[in-house]
Amino acid sequence: MVEGKGIMERLRKGNKAGSFQNRDDSIQEALERLRCEEDIIDIPPPLKSQIVHESTVKMTDFLRNYVPKHIFLTEGELMIANADGSVVNHVIHLDDITRIRHSNVDDFLERRAEYSSPFEEECLAEFDETVLEIVTELLSSSFGRSFSFKFEDKSECKTWIHNMQKLKKKASIRAHVKGTSRIRTYQYHLKLFYDSDFLQYFVAGFIFLNFLTNVLQSEITPTTDNTSTAALFDNLDLCFTIIFTVELSVNIAANWFRPFFQSGWNFFDLTVVGKSLISLF
């Protein structure tokens, strides 16, 4: 019953050691056997305190037919249970997921949707916004399988996509720092804080306030010789510089080294904040 899983597990170990041969043939054999096996586990559902989100859905089977299921989302796993949610039949680790999207929407159309043309709008109209599709890593506990879930409405599907993408990012970071030093663990928590919606909205608000201040300064300063007004704008500029310097420092600490310098926006922030600091001295 677990012959296909056995082949995939050997492939995973061989992949880490860089030793296995005839990889494609072995993978194909494993996938064919997995399609013939039940591939079912029976474990209790997660505790209420562990559940981030849950829904009753219809899931496609190997024959692409929809069957009723109940799914649970926790901090690190997606659990697929029977229709009443009493028994979990399959567990997908979030860090094993490679893609989370509406069913069959390819990357090109997703990127081009904002520049919509009649042809692209027609293509996008064919996709079902109530269907969530996830794709797993080939050499993972889910063996490269894809799963499609149909929800009652598109808002519920959108909520699941948002929650899964956010939790997958956290799971990937946890997997990356697992077994590393305490410094890496602190960096992981700092990155979670920096990537949080709260901090991003907080910084965006100050960027907008800084823009408004610059507009007011350009309008007021040329028409007044009031030294107190000039001092007010100087103090505001100092406050904004301090805030953006702290934000940049957190960004550098959370993403050091390669992830920080791989982003063009980070180079831009570094240049702008650097020029602001130089102008103060």
mmCIF file with all atom_site columns, all heavy atoms in Angstrom, residues 107-129:
data_model
loop_
_atom_site.group_PDB
_atom_site.id
_atom_site.type_symbol
_atom_site.label_atom_id
_atom_site.label_alt_id
_atom_site.label_comp_id
_atom_site.label_asym_id
_atom_site.label_entity_id
_atom_site.label_seq_id
_atom_site.pdbx_PDB_ins_code
_atom_site.Cartn_x
_atom_site.Cartn_y
_atom_site.Cartn_z
_atom_site.occupancy
_atom_site.B_iso_or_equiv
_atom_site.pdbx_formal_charge
_atom_site.auth_seq_id
_atom_site.auth_comp_id
_atom_site.auth_asym_id
_atom_site.auth_atom_id
_atom_site.pdbx_PDB_model_num
ATOM 1   N N   . ASP A 1 107 ? 0.896   32.183 -14.733 1.00 0.00 ? 107 ASP A N   1
ATOM 2   C CA  . ASP A 1 107 ? 1.629   33.357 -14.256 1.00 0.00 ? 107 ASP A CA  1
ATOM 3   C C   . ASP A 1 107 ? 1.509   34.539 -15.202 1.00 0.00 ? 107 ASP A C   1
ATOM 4   O O   . ASP A 1 107 ? 1.418   35.688 -14.777 1.00 0.00 ? 107 ASP A O   1
ATOM 5   C CB  . ASP A 1 107 ? 3.115   33.005 -14.071 1.00 0.00 ? 107 ASP A CB  1
ATOM 6   C CG  . ASP A 1 107 ? 3.339   32.064 -12.910 1.00 0.00 ? 107 ASP A CG  1
ATOM 7   O OD1 . ASP A 1 107 ? 2.477   32.058 -12.011 1.00 0.00 ? 107 ASP A OD1 1
ATOM 8   O OD2 . ASP A 1 107 ? 4.335   31.344 -12.914 1.00 0.00 ? 107 ASP A OD2 1
ATOM 9   N N   . PHE A 1 108 ? 1.511   34.263 -16.505 1.00 0.00 ? 108 PHE A N   1
ATOM 10  C CA  . PHE A 1 108 ? 1.487   35.360 -17.471 1.00 0.00 ? 108 PHE A CA  1
ATOM 11  C C   . PHE A 1 108 ? 0.200   36.165 -17.326 1.00 0.00 ? 108 PHE A C   1
ATOM 12  O O   . PHE A 1 108 ? 0.227   37.393 -17.257 1.00 0.00 ? 108 PHE A O   1
ATOM 13  C CB  . PHE A 1 108 ? 1.608   34.820 -18.902 1.00 0.00 ? 108 PHE A CB  1
ATOM 14  C CG  . PHE A 1 108 ? 1.450   35.898 -19.963 1.00 0.00 ? 108 PHE A CG  1
ATOM 15  C CD1 . PHE A 1 108 ? 2.468   36.790 -20.210 1.00 0.00 ? 108 PHE A CD1 1
ATOM 16  C CD2 . PHE A 1 108 ? 0.279   36.005 -20.675 1.00 0.00 ? 108 PHE A CD2 1
ATOM 17  C CE1 . PHE A 1 108 ? 2.318   37.783 -21.165 1.00 0.00 ? 108 PHE A CE1 1
ATOM 18  C CE2 . PHE A 1 108 ? 0.124   36.977 -21.634 1.00 0.00 ? 108 PHE A CE2 1
ATOM 19  C CZ  . PHE A 1 108 ? 1.141   37.868 -21.885 1.00 0.00 ? 108 PHE A CZ  1
ATOM 20  N N   . LEU A 1 109 ? -0.927  35.458 -17.274 1.00 0.00 ? 109 LEU A N   1
ATOM 21  C CA  . LEU A 1 109 ? -2.203  36.156 -17.163 1.00 0.00 ? 109 LEU A CA  1
ATOM 22  C C   . LEU A 1 109 ? -2.338  36.855 -15.823 1.00 0.00 ? 109 LEU A C   1
ATOM 23  O O   . LEU A 1 109 ? -2.924  37.936 -15.733 1.00 0.00 ? 109 LEU A O   1
ATOM 24  C CB  . LEU A 1 109 ? -3.365  35.178 -17.372 1.00 0.00 ? 109 LEU A CB  1
ATOM 25  C CG  . LEU A 1 109 ? -3.583  34.733 -18.824 1.00 0.00 ? 109 LEU A CG  1
ATOM 26  C CD1 . LEU A 1 109 ? -4.714  33.722 -18.885 1.00 0.00 ? 109 LEU A CD1 1
ATOM 27  C CD2 . LEU A 1 109 ? -3.912  35.922 -19.709 1.00 0.00 ? 109 LEU A CD2 1
ATOM 28  N N   . GLU A 1 110 ? -1.764  36.269 -14.758 1.00 0.00 ? 110 GLU A N   1
ATOM 29  C CA  . GLU A 1 110 ? -1.815  36.934 -13.462 1.00 0.00 ? 110 GLU A CA  1
ATOM 30  C C   . GLU A 1 110 ? -1.031  38.237 -13.497 1.00 0.00 ? 110 GLU A C   1
ATOM 31  O O   . GLU A 1 110 ? -1.466  39.253 -12.972 1.00 0.00 ? 110 GLU A O   1
ATOM 32  C CB  . GLU A 1 110 ? -1.251  36.019 -12.376 1.00 0.00 ? 110 GLU A CB  1
ATOM 33  C CG  . GLU A 1 110 ? -2.200  34.886 -11.999 1.00 0.00 ? 110 GLU A CG  1
ATOM 34  C CD  . GLU A 1 110 ? -1.599  33.984 -10.937 1.00 0.00 ? 110 GLU A CD  1
ATOM 35  O OE1 . GLU A 1 110 ? -0.366  33.831 -10.934 1.00 0.00 ? 110 GLU A OE1 1
ATOM 36  O OE2 . GLU A 1 110 ? -2.359  33.454 -10.126 1.00 0.00 ? 110 GLU A OE2 1
ATOM 37  N N   . ARG A 1 111 ? 0.143   38.229 -14.134 1.00 0.00 ? 111 ARG A N   1
ATOM 38  C CA  . ARG A 1 111 ? 0.945   39.446 -14.211 1.00 0.00 ? 111 ARG A CA  1
ATOM 39  C C   . ARG A 1 111 ? 0.321   40.471 -15.138 1.00 0.00 ? 111 ARG A C   1
ATOM 40  O O   . ARG A 1 111 ? 0.395   41.663 -14.908 1.00 0.00 ? 111 ARG A O   1
ATOM 41  C CB  . ARG A 1 111 ? 2.356   39.103 -14.705 1.00 0.00 ? 111 ARG A CB  1
ATOM 42  C CG  . ARG A 1 111 ? 3.211   38.356 -13.705 1.00 0.00 ? 111 ARG A CG  1
ATOM 43  C CD  . ARG A 1 111 ? 4.672   38.410 -14.105 1.00 0.00 ? 111 ARG A CD  1
ATOM 44  N NE  . ARG A 1 111 ? 4.883   37.868 -15.440 1.00 0.00 ? 111 ARG A NE  1
ATOM 45  C CZ  . ARG A 1 111 ? 5.187   36.608 -15.687 1.00 0.00 ? 111 ARG A CZ  1
ATOM 46  N NH1 . ARG A 1 111 ? 5.293   35.752 -14.690 1.00 0.00 ? 111 ARG A NH1 1
ATOM 47  N NH2 . ARG A 1 111 ? 5.361   36.186 -16.921 1.00 0.00 ? 111 ARG A NH2 1
ATOM 48  N N   . ARG A 1 112 ? -0.312  39.999 -16.211 1.00 0.00 ? 112 ARG A N   1
ATOM 49  C CA  . ARG A 1 112 ? -0.834  40.903 -17.227 1.00 0.00 ? 112 ARG A CA  1
ATOM 50  C C   . ARG A 1 112 ? -2.252  41.384 -16.928 1.00 0.00 ? 112 ARG A C   1
ATOM 51  O O   . ARG A 1 112 ? -2.757  42.257 -17.624 1.00 0.00 ? 112 ARG A O   1
ATOM 52  C CB  . ARG A 1 112 ? -0.827  40.187 -18.588 1.00 0.00 ? 112 ARG A CB  1
ATOM 53  C CG  . ARG A 1 112 ? 0.553   39.908 -19.130 1.00 0.00 ? 112 ARG A CG  1
ATOM 54  C CD  . ARG A 1 112 ? 1.240   41.173 -19.598 1.00 0.00 ? 112 ARG A CD  1
ATOM 55  N NE  . ARG A 1 112 ? 0.507   41.788 -20.688 1.00 0.00 ? 112 ARG A NE  1
ATOM 56  C CZ  . ARG A 1 112 ? 0.755   43.000 -21.174 1.00 0.00 ? 112 ARG A CZ  1
ATOM 57  N NH1 . ARG A 1 112 ? 1.692   43.731 -20.637 1.00 0.00 ? 112 ARG A NH1 1
ATOM 58  N NH2 . ARG A 1 112 ? 0.045   43.475 -22.171 1.00 0.00 ? 112 ARG A NH2 1
ATOM 59  N N   . ALA A 1 113 ? -2.894  40.843 -15.913 1.00 0.00 ? 113 ALA A N   1
ATOM 60  C CA  . ALA A 1 113 ? -4.295  41.183 -15.656 1.00 0.00 ? 113 ALA A CA  1
ATOM 61  C C   . ALA A 1 113 ? -4.480  42.671 -15.409 1.00 0.00 ? 113 ALA A C   1
ATOM 62  O O   . ALA A 1 113 ? -5.482  43.263 -15.809 1.00 0.00 ? 113 ALA A O   1
ATOM 63  C CB  . ALA A 1 113 ? -4.812  40.391 -14.460 1.00 0.00 ? 113 ALA A CB  1
ATOM 64  N N   . GLU A 1 114 ? -3.484  43.315 -14.777 1.00 0.00 ? 114 GLU A N   1
ATOM 65  C CA  . GLU A 1 114 ? -3.631  44.732 -14.474 1.00 0.00 ? 114 GLU A CA  1
ATOM 66  C C   . GLU A 1 114 ? -3.518  45.598 -15.729 1.00 0.00 ? 114 GLU A C   1
ATOM 67  O O   . GLU A 1 114 ? -3.946  46.754 -15.725 1.00 0.00 ? 114 GLU A O   1
ATOM 68  C CB  . GLU A 1 114 ? -2.564  45.151 -13.460 1.00 0.00 ? 114 GLU A CB  1
ATOM 69  C CG  . GLU A 1 114 ? -1.149  44.922 -13.937 1.00 0.00 ? 114 GLU A CG  1
ATOM 70  C CD  . GLU A 1 114 ? -0.155  45.133 -12.812 1.00 0.00 ? 114 GLU A CD  1
ATOM 71  O OE1 . GLU A 1 114 ? -0.318  44.486 -11.757 1.00 0.00 ? 114 GLU A OE1 1
ATOM 72  O OE2 . GLU A 1 114 ? 0.761   45.945 -12.995 1.00 0.00 ? 114 GLU A OE2 1
ATOM 73  N N   . TYR A 1 115 ? -2.959  45.056 -16.807 1.00 0.00 ? 115 TYR A N   1
ATOM 74  C CA  . TYR A 1 115 ? -2.908  45.790 -18.074 1.00 0.00 ? 115 TYR A CA  1
ATOM 75  C C   . TYR A 1 115 ? -3.931  45.179 -19.033 1.00 0.00 ? 115 TYR A C   1
ATOM 76  O O   . TYR A 1 115 ? -3.646  44.921 -20.190 1.00 0.00 ? 115 TYR A O   1
ATOM 77  C CB  . TYR A 1 115 ? -1.512  45.702 -18.695 1.00 0.00 ? 115 TYR A CB  1
ATOM 78  C CG  . TYR A 1 115 ? -0.407  46.067 -17.746 1.00 0.00 ? 115 TYR A CG  1
ATOM 79  C CD1 . TYR A 1 115 ? 0.401   45.088 -17.190 1.00 0.00 ? 115 TYR A CD1 1
ATOM 80  C CD2 . TYR A 1 115 ? -0.179  47.389 -17.396 1.00 0.00 ? 115 TYR A CD2 1
ATOM 81  C CE1 . TYR A 1 115 ? 1.426   45.423 -16.315 1.00 0.00 ? 115 TYR A CE1 1
ATOM 82  C CE2 . TYR A 1 115 ? 0.835   47.732 -16.524 1.00 0.00 ? 115 TYR A CE2 1
ATOM 83  C CZ  . TYR A 1 115 ? 1.634   46.743 -15.994 1.00 0.00 ? 115 TYR A CZ  1
ATOM 84  O OH  . TYR A 1 115 ? 2.645   47.079 -15.126 1.00 0.00 ? 115 TYR A OH  1
ATOM 85  N N   . SER A 1 116 ? -5.131  44.928 -18.537 1.00 0.00 ? 116 SER A N   1
ATOM 86  C CA  . SER A 1 116 ? -6.102  44.076 -19.229 1.00 0.00 ? 116 SER A CA  1
ATOM 87  C C   . SER A 1 116 ? -6.418  44.559 -20.639 1.00 0.00 ? 116 SER A C   1
ATOM 88  O O   . SER A 1 116 ? -6.557  45.744 -20.900 1.00 0.00 ? 116 SER A O   1
ATOM 89  C CB  . SER A 1 116 ? -7.392  43.995 -18.413 1.00 0.00 ? 116 SER A CB  1
ATOM 90  O OG  . SER A 1 116 ? -7.935  45.279 -18.235 1.00 0.00 ? 116 SER A OG  1
ATOM 91  N N   . SER A 1 117 ? -6.495  43.604 -21.521 1.00 0.00 ? 117 SER A N   1
ATOM 92  C CA  . SER A 1 117 ? -6.967  43.818 -22.881 1.00 0.00 ? 117 SER A CA  1
ATOM 93  C C   . SER A 1 117 ? -8.215  42.958 -23.043 1.00 0.00 ? 117 SER A C   1
ATOM 94  O O   . SER A 1 117 ? -8.475  42.075 -22.222 1.00 0.00 ? 117 SER A O   1
ATOM 95  C CB  . SER A 1 117 ? -5.892  43.372 -23.884 1.00 0.00 ? 117 SER A CB  1
ATOM 96  O OG  . SER A 1 117 ? -5.716  41.983 -23.804 1.00 0.00 ? 117 SER A OG  1
ATOM 97  N N   . PRO A 1 118 ? -9.021  43.180 -24.061 1.00 0.00 ? 118 PRO A N   1
ATOM 98  C CA  . PRO A 1 118 ? -10.227 42.351 -24.247 1.00 0.00 ? 118 PRO A CA  1
ATOM 99  C C   . PRO A 1 118 ? -9.913  40.858 -24.284 1.00 0.00 ? 118 PRO A C   1
ATOM 100 O O   . PRO A 1 118 ? -10.647 40.053 -23.708 1.00 0.00 ? 118 PRO A O   1
ATOM 101 C CB  . PRO A 1 118 ? -10.775 42.846 -25.586 1.00 0.00 ? 118 PRO A CB  1
ATOM 102 C CG  . PRO A 1 118 ? -10.319 44.270 -25.663 1.00 0.00 ? 118 PRO A CG  1
ATOM 103 C CD  . PRO A 1 118 ? -8.958  44.293 -25.015 1.00 0.00 ? 118 PRO A CD  1
ATOM 104 N N   . PHE A 1 119 ? -8.800  40.481 -24.931 1.00 0.00 ? 119 PHE A N   1
ATOM 105 C CA  . PHE A 1 119 ? -8.452  39.064 -25.013 1.00 0.00 ? 119 PHE A CA  1
ATOM 106 C C   . PHE A 1 119 ? -8.151  38.498 -23.628 1.00 0.00 ? 119 PHE A C   1
ATOM 107 O O   . PHE A 1 119 ? -8.630  37.435 -23.247 1.00 0.00 ? 119 PHE A O   1
ATOM 108 C CB  . PHE A 1 119 ? -7.247  38.856 -25.925 1.00 0.00 ? 119 PHE A CB  1
ATOM 109 C CG  . PHE A 1 119 ? -6.681  37.457 -25.867 1.00 0.00 ? 119 PHE A CG  1
ATOM 110 C CD1 . PHE A 1 119 ? -7.341  36.395 -26.464 1.00 0.00 ? 119 PHE A CD1 1
ATOM 111 C CD2 . PHE A 1 119 ? -5.491  37.214 -25.195 1.00 0.00 ? 119 PHE A CD2 1
ATOM 112 C CE1 . PHE A 1 119 ? -6.825  35.104 -26.382 1.00 0.00 ? 119 PHE A CE1 1
ATOM 113 C CE2 . PHE A 1 119 ? -4.969  35.938 -25.119 1.00 0.00 ? 119 PHE A CE2 1
ATOM 114 C CZ  . PHE A 1 119 ? -5.637  34.885 -25.728 1.00 0.00 ? 119 PHE A CZ  1
ATOM 115 N N   . GLU A 1 120 ? -7.347  39.244 -22.840 1.00 0.00 ? 120 GLU A N   1
ATOM 116 C CA  . GLU A 1 120 ? -6.967  38.765 -21.520 1.00 0.00 ? 120 GLU A CA  1
ATOM 117 C C   . GLU A 1 120 ? -8.171  38.714 -20.589 1.00 0.00 ? 120 GLU A C   1
ATOM 118 O O   . GLU A 1 120 ? -8.297  37.806 -19.772 1.00 0.00 ? 120 GLU A O   1
ATOM 119 C CB  . GLU A 1 120 ? -5.861  39.651 -20.945 1.00 0.00 ? 120 GLU A CB  1
ATOM 120 C CG  . GLU A 1 120 ? -4.519  39.394 -21.644 1.00 0.00 ? 120 GLU A CG  1
ATOM 121 C CD  . GLU A 1 120 ? -3.538  40.527 -21.432 1.00 0.00 ? 120 GLU A CD  1
ATOM 122 O OE1 . GLU A 1 120 ? -3.884  41.493 -20.744 1.00 0.00 ? 120 GLU A OE1 1
ATOM 123 O OE2 . GLU A 1 120 ? -2.425  40.437 -21.972 1.00 0.00 ? 120 GLU A OE2 1
ATOM 124 N N   . GLU A 1 121 ? -9.065  39.718 -20.700 1.00 0.00 ? 121 GLU A N   1
ATOM 125 C CA  . GLU A 1 121 ? -10.269 39.698 -19.876 1.00 0.00 ? 121 GLU A CA  1
ATOM 126 C C   . GLU A 1 121 ? -11.130 38.488 -20.205 1.00 0.00 ? 121 GLU A C   1
ATOM 127 O O   . GLU A 1 121 ? -11.721 37.859 -19.335 1.00 0.00 ? 121 GLU A O   1
ATOM 128 C CB  . GLU A 1 121 ? -11.061 40.987 -20.086 1.00 0.00 ? 121 GLU A CB  1
ATOM 129 C CG  . GLU A 1 121 ? -10.382 42.210 -19.470 1.00 0.00 ? 121 GLU A CG  1
ATOM 130 C CD  . GLU A 1 121 ? -11.165 43.472 -19.745 1.00 0.00 ? 121 GLU A CD  1
ATOM 131 O OE1 . GLU A 1 121 ? -12.192 43.378 -20.447 1.00 0.00 ? 121 GLU A OE1 1
ATOM 132 O OE2 . GLU A 1 121 ? -10.748 44.536 -19.270 1.00 0.00 ? 121 GLU A OE2 1
ATOM 133 N N   . GLU A 1 122 ? -11.177 38.145 -21.503 1.00 0.00 ? 122 GLU A N   1
ATOM 134 C CA  . GLU A 1 122 ? -11.955 36.975 -21.911 1.00 0.00 ? 122 GLU A CA  1
ATOM 135 C C   . GLU A 1 122 ? -11.343 35.700 -21.353 1.00 0.00 ? 122 GLU A C   1
ATOM 136 O O   . GLU A 1 122 ? -12.047 34.806 -20.878 1.00 0.00 ? 122 GLU A O   1
ATOM 137 C CB  . GLU A 1 122 ? -12.014 36.910 -23.435 1.00 0.00 ? 122 GLU A CB  1
ATOM 138 C CG  . GLU A 1 122 ? -12.825 35.727 -23.966 1.00 0.00 ? 122 GLU A CG  1
ATOM 139 C CD  . GLU A 1 122 ? -12.855 35.689 -25.484 1.00 0.00 ? 122 GLU A CD  1
ATOM 140 O OE1 . GLU A 1 122 ? -12.432 36.672 -26.111 1.00 0.00 ? 122 GLU A OE1 1
ATOM 141 O OE2 . GLU A 1 122 ? -13.290 34.658 -26.022 1.00 0.00 ? 122 GLU A OE2 1
ATOM 142 N N   . CYS A 1 123 ? -10.002 35.615 -21.360 1.00 0.00 ? 123 CYS A N   1
ATOM 143 C CA  . CYS A 1 123 ? -9.327  34.429 -20.830 1.00 0.00 ? 123 CYS A CA  1
ATOM 144 C C   . CYS A 1 123 ? -9.544  34.319 -19.321 1.00 0.00 ? 123 CYS A C   1
ATOM 145 O O   . CYS A 1 123 ? -9.843  33.244 -18.798 1.00 0.00 ? 123 CYS A O   1
ATOM 146 C CB  . CYS A 1 123 ? -7.827  34.489 -21.127 1.00 0.00 ? 123 CYS A CB  1
ATOM 147 S SG  . CYS A 1 123 ? -7.419  34.260 -22.873 1.00 0.00 ? 123 CYS A SG  1
ATOM 148 N N   . LEU A 1 124 ? -9.388  35.438 -18.615 1.00 0.00 ? 124 LEU A N   1
ATOM 149 C CA  . LEU A 1 124 ? -9.553  35.410 -17.172 1.00 0.00 ? 124 LEU A CA  1
ATOM 150 C C   . LEU A 1 124 ? -10.983 35.077 -16.778 1.00 0.00 ? 124 LEU A C   1
ATOM 151 O O   . LEU A 1 124 ? -11.229 34.492 -15.732 1.00 0.00 ? 124 LEU A O   1
ATOM 152 C CB  . LEU A 1 124 ? -9.155  36.761 -16.572 1.00 0.00 ? 124 LEU A CB  1
ATOM 153 C CG  . LEU A 1 124 ? -7.647  37.047 -16.529 1.00 0.00 ? 124 LEU A CG  1
ATOM 154 C CD1 . LEU A 1 124 ? -7.410  38.480 -16.087 1.00 0.00 ? 124 LEU A CD1 1
ATOM 155 C CD2 . LEU A 1 124 ? -6.954  36.099 -15.570 1.00 0.00 ? 124 LEU A CD2 1
ATOM 156 N N   . ALA A 1 125 ? -11.943 35.453 -17.626 1.00 0.00 ? 125 ALA A N   1
ATOM 157 C CA  . ALA A 1 125 ? -13.346 35.174 -17.317 1.00 0.00 ? 125 ALA A CA  1
ATOM 158 C C   . ALA A 1 125 ? -13.629 33.682 -17.305 1.00 0.00 ? 125 ALA A C   1
ATOM 159 O O   . ALA A 1 125 ? -14.613 33.234 -16.718 1.00 0.00 ? 125 ALA A O   1
ATOM 160 C CB  . ALA A 1 125 ? -14.249 35.878 -18.323 1.00 0.00 ? 125 ALA A CB  1
ATOM 161 N N   . GLU A 1 126 ? -12.775 32.886 -17.970 1.00 0.00 ? 126 GLU A N   1
ATOM 162 C CA  . GLU A 1 126 ? -12.991 31.442 -18.018 1.00 0.00 ? 126 GLU A CA  1
ATOM 163 C C   . GLU A 1 126 ? -12.548 30.747 -16.728 1.00 0.00 ? 126 GLU A C   1
ATOM 164 O O   . GLU A 1 126 ? -12.902 29.609 -16.486 1.00 0.00 ? 126 GLU A O   1
ATOM 165 C CB  . GLU A 1 126 ? -12.220 30.841 -19.195 1.00 0.00 ? 126 GLU A CB  1
ATOM 166 C CG  . GLU A 1 126 ? -12.701 31.361 -20.558 1.00 0.00 ? 126 GLU A CG  1
ATOM 167 C CD  . GLU A 1 126 ? -11.868 30.781 -21.686 1.00 0.00 ? 126 GLU A CD  1
ATOM 168 O OE1 . GLU A 1 126 ? -10.947 29.992 -21.378 1.00 0.00 ? 126 GLU A OE1 1
ATOM 169 O OE2 . GLU A 1 126 ? -12.122 31.111 -22.846 1.00 0.00 ? 126 GLU A OE2 1
ATOM 170 N N   . PHE A 1 127 ? -11.758 31.431 -15.888 1.00 0.00 ? 127 PHE A N   1
ATOM 171 C CA  . PHE A 1 127 ? -11.245 30.807 -14.689 1.00 0.00 ? 127 PHE A CA  1
ATOM 172 C C   . PHE A 1 127 ? -12.244 30.959 -13.541 1.00 0.00 ? 127 PHE A C   1
ATOM 173 O O   . PHE A 1 127 ? -12.936 31.964 -13.422 1.00 0.00 ? 127 PHE A O   1
ATOM 174 C CB  . PHE A 1 127 ? -9.896  31.426 -14.304 1.00 0.00 ? 127 PHE A CB  1
ATOM 175 C CG  . PHE A 1 127 ? -8.848  31.232 -15.363 1.00 0.00 ? 127 PHE A CG  1
ATOM 176 C CD1 . PHE A 1 127 ? -8.233  32.314 -15.941 1.00 0.00 ? 127 PHE A CD1 1
ATOM 177 C CD2 . PHE A 1 127 ? -8.500  29.963 -15.788 1.00 0.00 ? 127 PHE A CD2 1
ATOM 178 C CE1 . PHE A 1 127 ? -7.275  32.138 -16.924 1.00 0.00 ? 127 PHE A CE1 1
ATOM 179 C CE2 . PHE A 1 127 ? -7.544  29.773 -16.764 1.00 0.00 ? 127 PHE A CE2 1
ATOM 180 C CZ  . PHE A 1 127 ? -6.939  30.868 -17.335 1.00 0.00 ? 127 PHE A CZ  1
ATOM 181 N N   . ASP A 1 128 ? -12.300 29.957 -12.706 1.00 0.00 ? 128 ASP A N   1
ATOM 182 C CA  . ASP A 1 128 ? -13.255 29.923 -11.601 1.00 0.00 ? 128 ASP A CA  1
ATOM 183 C C   . ASP A 1 128 ? -12.598 30.521 -10.358 1.00 0.00 ? 128 ASP A C   1
ATOM 184 O O   . ASP A 1 128 ? -11.666 29.941 -9.800  1.00 0.00 ? 128 ASP A O   1
ATOM 185 C CB  . ASP A 1 128 ? -13.680 28.478 -11.335 1.00 0.00 ? 128 ASP A CB  1
ATOM 186 C CG  . ASP A 1 128 ? -14.873 28.395 -10.424 1.00 0.00 ? 128 ASP A CG  1
ATOM 187 O OD1 . ASP A 1 128 ? -15.153 29.388 -9.728  1.00 0.00 ? 128 ASP A OD1 1
ATOM 188 O OD2 . ASP A 1 128 ? -15.530 27.343 -10.408 1.00 0.00 ? 128 ASP A OD2 1
ATOM 189 N N   . GLU A 1 129 ? -13.084 31.666 -9.915  1.00 0.00 ? 129 GLU A N   1
ATOM 190 C CA  . GLU A 1 129 ? -12.504 32.349 -8.769  1.00 0.00 ? 129 GLU A CA  1
ATOM 191 C C   . GLU A 1 129 ? -12.908 31.713 -7.444  1.00 0.00 ? 129 GLU A C   1
ATOM 192 O O   . GLU A 1 129 ? -12.495 32.168 -6.384  1.00 0.00 ? 129 GLU A O   1
ATOM 193 C CB  . GLU A 1 129 ? -12.887 33.827 -8.778  1.00 0.00 ? 129 GLU A CB  1
ATOM 194 C CG  . GLU A 1 129 ? -12.269 34.603 -9.932  1.00 0.00 ? 129 GLU A CG  1
ATOM 195 C CD  . GLU A 1 129 ? -12.577 36.088 -9.851  1.00 0.00 ? 129 GLU A CD  1
ATOM 196 O OE1 . GLU A 1 129 ? -13.359 36.489 -8.962  1.00 0.00 ? 129 GLU A OE1 1
ATOM 197 O OE2 . GLU A 1 129 ? -12.026 36.837 -10.665 1.00 0.00 ? 129 GLU A OE2 1
#
